Amino acid sequence: MELIDDIAYTTRGRIVESDAKIGCNNDVYITLAERDLETVMHLLSASAYELASLFCVEGFDAHAAYTLLYAFEKKPYKEIAVFRLPLRWESAPSITSSFPSASWYEREATDGYGIRFTNPFDERRLFLHESYPEGFHPLQKGFKNSELDTMENGEPTGAGEYQFRKVAGEGVYEIPVGPVHAGIIEPGHFRFSVIGETIYHLEIRMFYKHRGIEKLAEGKTPEECVRIAESISGDEKVSNAVAYCNAIEKLCCIRPPERAWRLRTVFLEMERIYSLLGDLAGMCVDVAFPVGASPFFILREEILRQNKALTGSRFMKDVIGISGLKKDVPEDALKQLPTFLDKCIETFEESVEYVRSTPSVIDRFEKTGVIRKELLAALHITGPMARSNGLSTDTRIYHPYGLYEKIKPNVKTVDEGDVLARFETKASDILDSCRMIKKALDDLPSGPVSTDYAIRDGYATSLVECARGQSFHWIWVKNGVVDRYKIRTASFCNWQAIEHAVIGNIVPDFPLINKSFNLSYSGTDL
Amino acid sequence: MNKAITNIFKKPVTEEVTFKDEEFEALGIRLKKDIDTIFGRSLAIRELDSGSDNAAEIELNNLGTPHYDVERFGVTFVASPRHADVIVITGAVTRNMAGAVKKTYDATPSPKYVMAVGDDACDGGIYKGTYAVLGGADMILPVDIKIPGNPPEPKELMKGLLALMRSIRNRR
């Protein structure tokens, strides 16, 4: 059965095949009428559709100023179903009762475009904090990106104070943490409501690092935007650049040469390895076990040095380009990579075994920070967080791109959903990435790493599996420049799982639980 | 007594490191000398992320890992601005972080120094002139030294710290 048939069946004939328009990569675009929205969303959620993203676009439909796009995925379909809702007025019904994860997206659309939602779950601002004036909506085309002049005594002035959810009752007290934290980490605010030592409720306030990336991309040429994609998150530079370039390549029908895709895969997996090594080390540090953390830190540093030898940058920036790579890789660096990885695997397995065999560590890891299974689909939890919770999900398998059509990852699924399960899943991801790099390097063809191309107008989605899970990119090129670049990183969805995972745990375990997710703040705040 | 004497002459229990980088070691020893004379043995750094892309954080974190291990040279990253001599600020200053950046600076006891790390912290980088940022760190704090790079590598961070020491010494 095709995706459109499944949609017709799921929506009980409210949507039929002739309603659908097939976009790039066979994605299905369906225009919805506002009166059908709630029913259709309800039926989709009952039939295992997951909300991959929800966002607003200006000038997408001829008769409406704004259009809301609801992007869904359903296993095992490779294609994405995008429902478009042209807005007659600047308002729409909220879909949070069918898809709880829609709440952040809706607040994002309210901040960015001034769209109001009826019956919303939460009406507070999201990425615009107090310092932004009322009525300011940066993503509207009418606003030209420029500095805002609303500073008083060096402090920006703006809307009223943000109200955290209040938990009241005998013995409940609050612990505010952040935005500046004790370690060398990114800023965000955690508001705990605690009874004794046990966390009863947690509210995470993000977006301190909101840099206006989506607005920044507006009006830039597709080439200039690669740099912007790389700035989304420092340790996801390759993933986001590949996701972005892949979308442009799809809508312009560019086919990067085989060598380029093979090398891209090497970089993608190298990035996964160094990122996950940092997570494993961090988990050990947070249970006061630096002896166990050191080997992971050593390996990570060695991987970063390999990255530099391969691409000239420890974080592999400025190497991914539209139609392939911006430059080829030095032959000698490539040649010694498999031997280097073999040595890494040996040390790595020893180090993991050492952590596993330390009872005081396992005692802290086990049964800590469990995510309840019913949250996975509702919040669209992906990556190691989902795989450590019994869900065999991986964008590389369900929405393969580039070389993943040929080389399949062997992802490990663990059932427990606790910190230990995340440790095991991430450890197994690292080993699998080593295997995939070696496979990608097997009979690597010589030849160019990019092709000639011409930019065309159009729009396309692109999904990648970064170390933290699935990232979603949607790009609309109009008149040769980027008109709208929507980014939803894995962290954006996965953050909301932490609020639930900590409930019932003690406050001292919070850093460990947070580290076992190790999500990107900059990738969420954009 | 016997045990104490044998312990003195026993070889260290730690293993010999195989990845010694002579240039980095030399930088570290010079830095230690400077820290000893200016700050009296230790330099306490408070890291402050005002809107970076997190790569600079990874590199700063790296300074504490086995390859670099800068605590040997008297450099410590402290958990509170109240314990800090130097604020290392990364990323362009976002509007949403501006208040927290100021509070962190105000909480640091004088004399205090500010080191801007990375292109975005130096002048706002690609975000310069956009709605979401105020610009580089110097828009809001008195910056003593700027370390460009995207992000600067551990050796460049060490050179930056050395340059900061030099500028402090010249001012005294």
Side-chain angles (χ1 to χ4, degrees):
Chain A
M1 195 153 71
E2 302 254 318
L3 177 60
I4 180 62
D5 299 327
D6 190 81
I7 293 170
Y9 175 77
T10 303
T11 58
R12 303 189 185 141
R14 276 180 183 76
I15 291 160
V16 290
E17 202 178 329
S18 56
D19 293 335
K21 207 178 134 233
I22 304 301
C24 279
N25 208 34
N26 295 328
D27 289 341
V28 180
Y29 285 78
I30 299 158
T31 304
L32 265 185
E34 196 180 305
R35 59 175 187 282
D36 289 337
L37 180 77
E38 276 163 292
T39 329
V40 168
M41 290 300 148
H42 186 71
L43 293 169
L44 291 176
S45 87
S47 172
Y49 278 79
E50 280 190 36
L51 185 65
S53 189
L54 190 182
F55 54 98
C56 184
V57 186
E58 188 171 342
F60 196 55
D61 282 288
H63 309 296
Y66 302 109
T67 305
L68 285 174
L69 297 183
Y70 301 78
F72 290 92
E73 65 165 329
K74 184 184 183 178
K75 285 178 194 128
Y77 296 102
K78 257 176 73 176
E79 303 82 23
I80 300 290
V82 184
F83 291 87
R84 49 200 279 184
L85 181 75
L87 300 182
R88 209 145 23 117
W89 317 106
E90 280 156 29
S91 76
S94 166
I95 62 158
T96 41
S97 58
S98 304
F99 292 97
S101 60
S103 183
W104 274 27
Y105 293 118
E106 290 179 357
R107 289 165 71 190
E108 194 181 40
T110 307
D111 282 3
Y113 289 92
I115 310 296
R116 296 281 149 200
F117 290 87
T118 44
N119 299 324
F121 175 71
D122 190 343
E123 273 185 298
R124 292 170 298 173
R125 284 176 161 200
L126 191 74
F127 66 82
L128 298 180
H129 283 192
E130 288 91 339
S131 63
Y132 289 95
E134 292 285 2
F136 172 67
H137 302 294
L139 287 168
Q140 291 179 346
K141 292 276 183 245
F143 170 70
K144 294 280 164 263
N145 204 0
S146 58
E147 271 172 60
L148 296 183
D149 188 26
T150 45
M151 300 273 286
E152 251 172 44
N153 315 321
E155 292 252 2
T157 59
E161 198 185 330
Y162 179 86
Q163 297 297 320
F164 283 93
R165 284 190 291 268
K166 275 262 174 284
V167 179
E170 203 185 317
V172 182
Y173 64 99
E174 280 189 348
I175 308 177
V177 181
V180 178
H181 298 293
I184 307 178
I185 48 169
E186 303 178 75
H189 186 96
F190 303 100
R191 184 65 60 100
F192 298 94
S193 297
V194 181
I195 301 174
E197 253 200 312
T198 308
I199 301 169
Y200 187 72
H201 180 264
L202 164 65
E203 180 174 348
I204 301 177
R205 190 185 191 201
M206 301 287 295
F207 304 95
Y208 285 91
K209 302 179 81 171
H210 177 66
R211 292 148 285 152
I213 286 193
E214 289 180 5
K215 185 74 181 180
L216 189 65
E218 238 179 66
K220 297 270 192 304
T221 64
E223 286 79 9
E224 286 171 326
C225 267
V226 181
R227 171 85 203 277
I228 293 174
E230 285 181 338
S231 312
I232 294 167
S233 183
D235 50 6
E236 290 171 10
K237 281 185 197 290
V238 181
S239 316
N240 286 319
V242 167
Y244 169 79
C245 291
N246 197 19
I248 296 285
E249 284 151 13
K250 277 199 246 170
L251 72 87
C252 301
C253 300
I254 305 165
R255 292 173 60 90
E258 168 87 8
R259 182 176 172 85
W261 259 120
R262 284 192 172 248
L263 289 173
R264 276 182 179 183
T265 311
V266 171
F267 302 151
L268 282 165
E269 297 304 323
M270 288 292 270
E271 183 172 78
R272 195 182 317 280
I273 295 173
Y274 86 70
S275 183
L276 293 177
L277 279 169
D279 297 3
L280 300 188
M283 286 188 227
C284 293
V285 168
D286 281 353
V287 295
F289 192 55
V291 188
S294 291
F296 299 130
F297 277 133
I298 291 170
L299 284 174
R300 181 177 71 170
E301 175 64 22
E302 274 160 16
I303 300 272
L304 290 177
R305 289 178 183 191
Q306 284 294 323
N307 292 348
K308 176 145 189 182
L310 289 167
T311 66
S313 155
R314 284 159 65 87
F315 297 90
M316 298 180 280
K317 69 178 168 71
D318 230 10
V319 58
I320 307 293
I322 297 170
S323 89
L325 304 180
K326 286 183 183 164
K327 55 186 173 204
D328 207 341
V329 173
E331 210 46 55
D332 49 333
L334 217 48
K335 217 183 245 156
Q336 48 85 39
L337 192 57
T339 351
F340 164 80
L341 286 175
D342 283 336
K343 246 176 54 201
C344 278
I345 292 171
E346 204 180 305
T347 328
F348 178 73
E349 283 181 323
E350 241 172 62
S351 317
V352 171
E353 202 41 55
Y354 180 48
V355 175
R356 271 193 203 122
S357 61
T358 309
S360 59
V361 173
I362 301 304
D363 183 47
R364 291 286 305 275
F365 281 8
E366 216 174 16
K367 298 196 172 59
T368 306
V370 179
I371 312 174
R372 281 180 296 135
K373 292 204 176 358
E374 58 264 37
L375 291 173
L376 297 176
L379 296 177
H380 195 54
I381 309 300
T382 54
M385 279 101 249
R387 293 198 288 274
S388 60
N389 219 328
L391 203 67
S392 137
T393 177
D394 192 311
T395 311
R396 294 171 293 175
I397 296 173
Y398 287 99
H399 308 278
Y401 44 99
L403 201 61
Y404 298 117
E405 308 258 9
K406 286 184 229 158
I407 302 178
K408 296 273 170 231
N410 283 333
V411 293
K412 180 176 174 176
T413 310
V414 187
D415 213 36
E416 280 75 15
D418 54 4
V419 172
L420 182 61
R422 291 192 277 278
F423 182 87
E424 291 292 351
T425 317
K426 289 182 173 189
S428 121
D429 278 6
I430 291 173
L431 288 174
D432 194 44
S433 292
C434 292
R435 176 188 68 86
M436 290 179 64
I437 293 173
K438 284 194 278 181
K439 261 196 128 162
L441 288 176
D442 268 351
D443 36 72
L444 176 76
S446 54
V449 290
S450 59
T451 59
D452 291 336
Y453 63 89
I455 293 294
R456 283 192 216 171
D457 287 1
Y459 48 86
T461 58
S462 170
L463 294 172
V464 289
E465 182 82 8
C466 67
R468 297 179 170 104
Q470 178 196 74
S471 292
F472 172 96
H473 293 235
W474 188 85
I475 291 136
W476 182 22
V477 177
K478 198 168 125 188
N479 305 325
V481 294
V482 173
D483 195 73
R484 178 81 169 102
Y485 182 13
K486 170 65 203 168
I487 305 144
R488 193 274 298 154
T489 59
S491 303
F492 185 91
C493 295
N494 289 346
W495 265 117
Q496 294 166 68
I498 298 188
E499 289 186 347
H500 298 273
V502 298
I503 293 172
N505 287 267
I506 55 172
V507 179
D509 272 341
F510 173 72
L512 172 64
I513 297 169
N514 195 16
K515 202 73 207 181
S516 72
F517 283 77
N518 196 27
L519 301 173
S520 167
Y521 297 66
S522 54
T524 306
D525 300 355
L526 301 178
Chain B
M1 182 68 190
N2 241 348
K3 204 170 177 190
I5 291 170
T6 41
N7 268 346
I8 290 170
F9 294 105
K10 227 164 59 184
K11 274 207 252 165
V13 289
T14 49
E15 295 159 41
E16 194 58 44
V17 284
T18 49
F19 41 67
K20 224 174 192 172
D21 178 339
E22 294 304 333
E23 193 193 344
F24 187 84
E25 296 295 307
L27 288 170
I29 288 161
R30 269 175 62 199
L31 183 62
K32 177 150 181 46
K33 244 187 224 155
D34 283 354
I35 290 173
D36 282 350
T37 53
I38 301 169
F39 286 93
R41 291 208 181 153
S42 84
L43 177 71
I45 298 178
R46 172 64 246 186
E47 197 268 344
L48 175 60
D49 176 352
S50 60
S52 80
D53 72 355
N54 83 25
E57 274 61 49
I58 293 177
E59 290 296 36
L60 286 163
N61 243 321
N62 261 336
L63 287 178
T65 61
H67 276 88
Y68 304 105
D69 190 19
V70 291
E71 276 200 34
R72 293 177 295 158
F73 308 124
V75 179
T76 47
F77 285 91
V78 290
S80 166
R82 299 198 192 282
H83 306 156
D85 304 307
V86 173
I87 290 177
V88 163
I89 183 165
T90 61
V93 180
T94 64
R95 290 181 70 85
N96 289 348
M97 268 307 281
V101 168
K102 253 188 130 263
K103 273 189 192 165
T104 305
Y105 180 78
D106 291 342
T108 311
S110 289
K112 51 190 163 187
Y113 304 92
V114 178
M115 178 162 132
V117 166
D119 293 342
D120 295 346
C122 288
D123 67 349
I126 56 170
Y127 307 108
K128 197 160 47 182
T130 66
Y131 76 90
V133 303
L134 304 179
D138 53 3
M139 293 300 285
I140 183 164
L141 299 183
V143 174
D144 294 277
I145 193 154
K146 294 179 176 180
I147 317 296
N150 183 19
E153 295 184 7
K155 262 184 220 169
E156 289 160 348
L157 291 170
M158 288 298 269
K159 286 178 190 160
L161 283 171
L162 271 169
L164 176 66
M165 294 301 122
R166 197 162 48 234
S167 86
I168 295 171
R169 204 169 34 217
N170 291 345
R171 255 181 280 175
R172 292 207 304 180

